[in-house]
Amino acid sequence: MRTAFLLSGEHPEIPKEEVKATLEALNVRYETIGEMKSCLLLDLEPFEGLFRILSERLSFTRSFGKLLGLFHCSEFPRALSELETTLISGRFRVTCVRVERSCEWIERKDVEERIGGWVIDNNEGAKVDLEDPEIEIIAVITSDHIVVYLKEGEVDRSLFKVKEVSARPYVHPASMRPTLARAMVNLARTRRGDLVLDPFLGVGGIALEILSVGARLIGVDINEKLVIQAKNNLMTYGFLDGYELQVGDALSLELEGCVDRIVTDPPYGRMSSSPYVPRELANKFVSKVPEYLRRGGWISISLPKEFLDREDFEDAGIDIVNFFDLREHRSLVRRIWVGKLP
């Protein structure tokens, strides 16, 4: 099924790779058929309930659905006749979204009206309803193209807002925002039931997202106060079991067997409780990963860009699959490393 994903645009690469990684975690076969600004086109083999799961899992996606057509802006409106005919019976709405300033000479309202006309001409039972539609068609103007899809699902971003750092009972200045934490969990190909380690637990921001996707958690922090605060944060959001929290040193963990995934954000500021210099701590921890992570397991770790390079991971036996840079502020570029232990 050819499927279009309208992405959040918060980063040029992470949203696309989050979708692909999540599909891999769900064992969904796919082929990339197009990549544009804030839009990803895949040919995938869906199973029943997949779109519901994606709606609940993804963080950097707005909506997605069956691809009806793709054409260059210069072909508008002539190419509308080539849209894939699909049965639309009942109330529908067409919504046009423009990414950045692509094809500004095309009016969004004109796109909506012309696609709406095409739907009515090809579906006797279709009726426009702008307020409460049963069906929605999305047209995305991006990268000099128009992508048209029948919406099958969307991500409720408000669910992340209730977990924002400022909304939690216990906060920490270095806490990661929930959408990025969720993306890191997805980039690690985390599956429901996986045992995931966060050895730098803090107040539990990443832990919340690990549990939210149905995985099990081992959370560790050297600061007992933070562990207590993390537990209270987890309980506040309804997580009463499925995890084990420990006070301990990330460099000398005593685990009962290896974990399936590691997703973590080690400390790197002055408020770190670790006796090690942050860069040294990161390097030492990466060298310990093969002791904690099972063969074939994945790691997603966030560090300042200058802390480590690919060779540091390769020396530890970790194959880096991807990395992404995000500028948090003038003095910090965060680099998210995604790797696998072969």
Side-chain angles (χ1 to χ4, degrees):
M1 174 178 171
R2 298 198 308 163
T3 307
F5 292 82
L6 176 58
L7 309 173
S8 68
E10 294 166 75
H11 188 275
E13 296 298 329
I14 291 178
K16 298 174 185 177
E17 296 306 318
E18 183 196 18
V19 172
K20 296 175 185 178
T22 302
L23 291 173
E24 290 172 21
L26 297 170
N27 294 319
V28 176
R29 297 175 59 183
Y30 69 86
E31 179 182 347
T32 302
I33 56 177
E35 294 189 6
M36 288 158 279
K37 287 184 179 179
S38 298
C39 199
L40 174 65
L41 307 180
L42 301 178
D43 192 356
L44 54 83
E45 299 180 7
F47 56 80
E48 185 176 353
L50 173 63
F51 293 139
R52 175 187 56 80
I53 295 172
L54 291 177
S55 295
E56 297 170 352
R57 281 281 307 244
L58 298 172
S59 65
F60 284 163
T61 296
R62 295 169 61 180
S63 67
F64 50 86
K66 179 183 178 181
L67 181 65
L68 300 179
L70 167 67
F71 49 88
H72 196 275
C73 288
S74 63
E75 299 174 328
F76 175 81
R78 184 177 63 258
L80 289 178
S81 61
E82 300 175 7
L83 292 178
E84 180 179 335
T85 302
T86 186
L87 180 61
I88 297 176
S89 178
R91 306 187 310 276
F92 79 95
R93 175 177 67 198
V94 180
T95 302
C96 183
V97 178
R98 191 190 311 276
V99 175
E100 295 182 355
R101 302 179 65 180
S102 184
C103 302
E104 287 187 298
W105 52 272
I106 296 178
E107 295 289 340
R108 291 192 298 116
K109 184 177 181 180
D110 190 26
V111 174
E112 294 170 348
E113 291 177 348
R114 288 180 180 272
I115 294 178
W118 168 82
V119 171
I120 291 174
D121 289 343
N122 288 275
N123 295 274
E124 185 176 344
K127 181 180 179 180
V128 175
D129 187 339
L130 302 180
E131 301 300 324
D132 187 28
E134 300 169 303
I135 299 169
E136 186 168 11
I137 294 175
I138 308 294
V140 184
I141 305 174
T142 178
S143 302
D144 296 327
H145 284 76
I146 300 180
V147 179
V148 184
Y149 65 92
L150 180 66
K151 189 171 77 173
E152 304 279 2
E154 63 182 330
V155 176
D156 185 354
R157 305 266 291 182
S158 67
L159 297 178
F160 291 102
K161 290 186 179 297
V162 300
K163 291 184 287 186
E164 282 291 353
V165 176
S166 59
R168 301 171 194 162
Y170 294 94
V171 301
H172 189 279
S175 291
M176 181 179 290
R177 59 191 182 276
T179 49
L180 181 56
R182 173 67 66 85
M184 285 187 62
V185 172
N186 287 331
L187 287 168
R189 279 72 172 169
T190 304
R191 302 166 302 185
R192 177 173 289 275
D194 275 352
L195 183 58
V196 185
L197 170 67
D198 181 358
F200 301 99
L201 178 66
V203 294
I206 290 177
L208 276 171
E209 302 311 320
I210 291 170
L211 294 171
S212 292
V213 302
R216 297 171 295 141
L217 164 73
I218 297 178
V220 183
D221 203 284
I222 201 170
N223 186 326
E224 182 178 8
K225 180 181 178 181
L226 293 181
V227 173
I228 294 172
Q229 292 178 345
K231 183 173 184 179
N232 279 291
N233 277 339
L234 296 182
M235 292 175 65
T236 296
Y237 288 97
F239 296 110
L240 306 180
D241 53 28
Y243 56 89
E244 176 186 346
L245 305 186
Q246 306 174 9
V247 179
D249 187 342
L251 302 184
S252 56
L253 297 179
E254 296 182 3
L255 304 175
E256 296 181 4
C258 292
V259 300
D260 300 303
R261 305 288 188 267
I262 295 176
V263 184
T264 195
D265 180 27
Y268 44 81
R270 297 177 181 179
M271 300 184 70
S272 170
S273 302
S274 173
Y276 299 97
V277 174
R279 187 193 298 259
E280 179 188 11
L281 174 64
N283 198 298
K284 287 181 177 293
F285 173 72
V286 166
S287 70
K288 299 284 287 187
V289 165
E291 296 181 26
Y292 304 149
L293 185 63
R294 70 166 174 81
R295 292 290 174 182
W298 289 78
I299 179 172
S300 178
I301 182 171
S302 170
L303 296 165
K305 178 181 177 179
E306 67 274 11
F307 269 27
L308 300 178
D309 55 33
R310 184 183 292 268
E311 286 71 26
D312 294 309
F313 289 90
E314 292 176 347
D315 289 346
I318 302 168
D319 291 342
I320 292 298
V321 175
N322 252 323
F323 67 84
F324 312 95
D325 291 343
L326 301 88
R327 180 167 294 279
E328 298 290 352
H329 48 75
R330 188 170 61 180
S331 60
L332 174 63
V333 175
R334 185 195 297 272
R335 175 167 287 180
I336 295 176
W337 296 93
V338 180
K340 185 177 183 180
L341 195 64

